[in-house]
Amino acid sequence: MTQATEAPHYMRRNVLDPVPALGELRSSTAVTKLVTAVGMPAYLVTRYEDVKAALADPQRFSNRKPPGWAAAPGASNVTAEEHARLTAGNLLGIDPPEHQRIRRMLTSEFTVRRMQRLEPRIIEIVDQHLDAMERTGPPADLVAGFALPIPSLVICELLGVPYQDRTDFQQRSSRQLNFSLPADERWALQLAAREYMMSLVQRARRNPGDDMLGMLVRQHGDEVTDDELVGIGGLLLLAGHETTSNMLGLGTIALLQRPDQLAAVRDDPDALGPAIEELLRYLSVVQNAIPRITTTAVEIGGVPIPAGQVVILSLPAANRDPQFIDAPDTLDIHRGAPGHLAFGHGVHHCLGAPLARMEMRIAFPALLRRFPHLAMAEDVDEVRFHAFNLVYGAQSLQVTW
């Protein structure tokens, strides 16, 4: 199997939009055979109803991968025992009923009520970073100074991760998700991330604090293993800052291109909730759901797929499907986009969705009110994007005010 040298259609963008070829595939056929970003043959599903149905069916579309599965870079020599340890606790790598057991332990930490208790601290974090941007003055890199550090600090405090370690884990996680890198390098990064999280788990075992790892040790210490705690913490740390930070960066670009909608997000509290949902749909920063493996022969839209095949579920294509929503390529913050799949669907629906929504509801209007004349300091065509990553976003974004 050969590492892909060019991003497949489902990972390509024209700035904020999926490339037209992805929409053409969706229009022409329900399922397309292709080669994934890691060089694996797979079936690509692009239509909203088909993607949603597959996400809701873990019995036939499994998240669990066999030992040595090639999408785990460098993992070809991993034994079954090692594979079990590496996937333990990772909600995106396990299926029911094990999945429900782990998720139930975490649910209380991600309720809307729990998020509301975090709101004053998130507001404080946002204001601190806006203060720092204002002191430094324009131009400024919105990604480095705002979009990335805010969700990073929030998830660090929630998990009990030392914030001084943020530079290391941010760089590591960004490279883990970069499929243009050699497989062995990404595998080494994955192992390094695991080693780091194990050190935090062992610290929590010795002295559990008030953070999430400490809570899990205190309340579930006898029923959760260290490997499961590592899987839980590693996933939340990775997902908790990569996704929201890229939404903040890309969302700012989208709003700056549409002054009327920007003004509504800035000034109208009633418009904010629907705006966040529409931005989530329109941007769909997660390029695809975690690849599924068919557990039996299935048929999607009349296309047969044998058992044991890799299935890629394209979230941007599904969220831009005209059968799902009218004028899908238009950003309209007033419609709210109910039913979008940006957070997934079914049992694997993103556990951290309430936190991500709260961070965006606080950060977007705060940024736009603080800098009412915010503008891009570079042409959008000059912005460098993470073009070969699982989570799409801007590498940097120069702004002025």
Side-chain angles (χ1 to χ4, degrees), residues 141-183:
D141 181 355
L142 189 73
V143 172
F146 184 79
L148 183 57
I150 289 170
S152 293
L153 183 52
V154 171
I155 199 65
C156 281
E157 293 192 0
L158 192 64
L159 278 172
V161 175
Y163 192 55
Q164 62 266 26
D165 296 345
R166 68 192 183 280
T167 301
D168 287 342
F169 75 68
Q170 284 171 358
Q171 292 177 351
R172 189 163 54 234
S173 64
S174 179
R175 294 178 69 79
Q176 277 181 258
L177 298 174
N178 184 353
F179 290 107
S180 68
L181 295 179

Side-chain angles (χ1 to χ4, degrees), residues 85-92 102 106 155 159-161 169-170 172-174 176-177 189-201 212-213 216 225-242:
R85 292 187 61 223
L86 290 168
T87 57
N90 185 333
L91 291 171
L92 296 182
I102 297 295
L106 298 169
I155 199 65
L159 278 172
V161 175
F169 75 68
Q170 284 171 358
R172 189 163 54 234
S173 64
S174 179
Q176 277 181 258
L177 298 174
L189 289 165
Q190 183 176 333
L191 294 180
R194 177 180 171 77
E195 182 179 356
Y196 171 72
M197 187 55 64
M198 181 62 80
S199 71
L200 300 182
V201 167
M212 188 178 298
L213 286 177
L216 288 167
T225 67
D226 284 1
D227 287 324
E228 287 173 335
L229 288 172
V230 168
I232 293 167
L235 172 62
L236 294 177
L237 184 62
L238 183 68
H241 74 275
E242 280 289 336

Side-chain angles (χ1 to χ4, degrees), residues 45-336:
V45 182
T46 52
R47 295 175 180 172
Y48 175 84
E49 289 297 339
D50 295 332
V51 170
K52 184 177 180 180
L55 289 171
D57 188 356
Q59 286 74 34
R60 297 193 304 159
F61 298 90
S62 173
N63 272 35
R64 188 180 297 278
K65 310 302 186 297
W69 188 63
S76 57
N77 296 321
V78 171
T79 66
E81 181 179 357
E82 290 170 330
H83 179 76
R85 292 187 61 223
L86 290 168
T87 57
N90 185 333
L91 291 171
L92 296 182
I94 55 180
D95 291 325
E98 183 183 1
H99 174 273
Q100 279 93 331
R101 180 180 71 85
I102 297 295
R103 188 166 179 129
R104 276 195 296 268
M105 297 180 193
L106 298 169
T107 300
S108 63
E109 291 296 303
F110 286 97
T111 61
V112 173
R113 181 176 298 178
R114 174 74 171 101
M115 293 304 103
Q116 289 172 341
R117 293 204 300 270
L118 287 175
E119 184 173 2
R121 177 57 179 144
I122 297 174
I123 292 173
E124 182 180 14
I125 291 170
V126 169
D127 286 343
Q128 288 171 350
H129 285 81
L130 290 173
D131 291 343
M133 285 178 61
E134 193 167 21
R135 284 194 303 270
T136 303
D141 181 355
L142 189 73
V143 172
F146 184 79
L148 183 57
I150 289 170
S152 293
L153 183 52
V154 171
I155 199 65
C156 281
E157 293 192 0
L158 192 64
L159 278 172
V161 175
Y163 192 55
Q164 62 266 26
D165 296 345
R166 68 192 183 280
T167 301
D168 287 342
F169 75 68
Q170 284 171 358
Q171 292 177 351
R172 189 163 54 234
S173 64
S174 179
R175 294 178 69 79
Q176 277 181 258
L177 298 174
N178 184 353
F179 290 107
S180 68
L181 295 179
D184 288 345
E185 181 176 342
R186 286 186 292 115
W187 178 243
L189 289 165
Q190 183 176 333
L191 294 180
R194 177 180 171 77
E195 182 179 356
Y196 171 72
M197 187 55 64
M198 181 62 80
S199 71
L200 300 182
V201 167
Q202 291 171 346
R203 186 190 66 180
R205 286 285 193 189
R206 293 191 300 269
N207 184 25
D210 295 329
D211 52 76
M212 188 178 298
L213 286 177
M215 177 277 294
L216 288 167
V217 169
R218 289 194 309 274
Q219 297 183 13
H220 305 283
D222 294 336
E223 55 183 306
V224 63
T225 67
D226 284 1
D227 287 324
E228 287 173 335
L229 288 172
V230 168
I232 293 167
L235 172 62
L236 294 177
L237 184 62
L238 183 68
H241 74 275
E242 280 289 336
T243 50
T244 307
S245 67
N246 286 310
M247 276 297 304
L248 291 174
L250 296 188
T252 299
I253 295 175
L255 292 172
L256 287 173
Q257 293 174 334
R258 299 163 177 84
D260 291 347
Q261 299 192 54
L262 181 151
V265 169
R266 182 189 63 213
D267 301 329
D268 183 359
D270 292 335
L272 188 54
I276 297 303
E277 299 308 311
E278 172 69 347
L279 285 166
L280 284 161
R281 178 202 70 83
Y282 182 79
L283 297 171
S284 294
V285 297
V286 179
Q287 307 270 35
N288 55 269
I290 295 299
R292 267 49 174 183
I293 304 292
T294 52
T295 60
T296 185
V298 299
E299 185 176 291
I300 298 177
V303 179
I305 303 177
Q309 301 302 301
V310 178
V311 176
I312 302 295
L313 306 172
S314 173
L315 302 182
N319 281 333
R320 297 274 189 117
D321 188 344
Q323 297 301 311
F324 160 54
I325 198 165
D326 293 335
D329 294 323
T330 298
L331 178 68
D332 178 1
I333 64 165
H334 300 291
R335 61 178 162 192

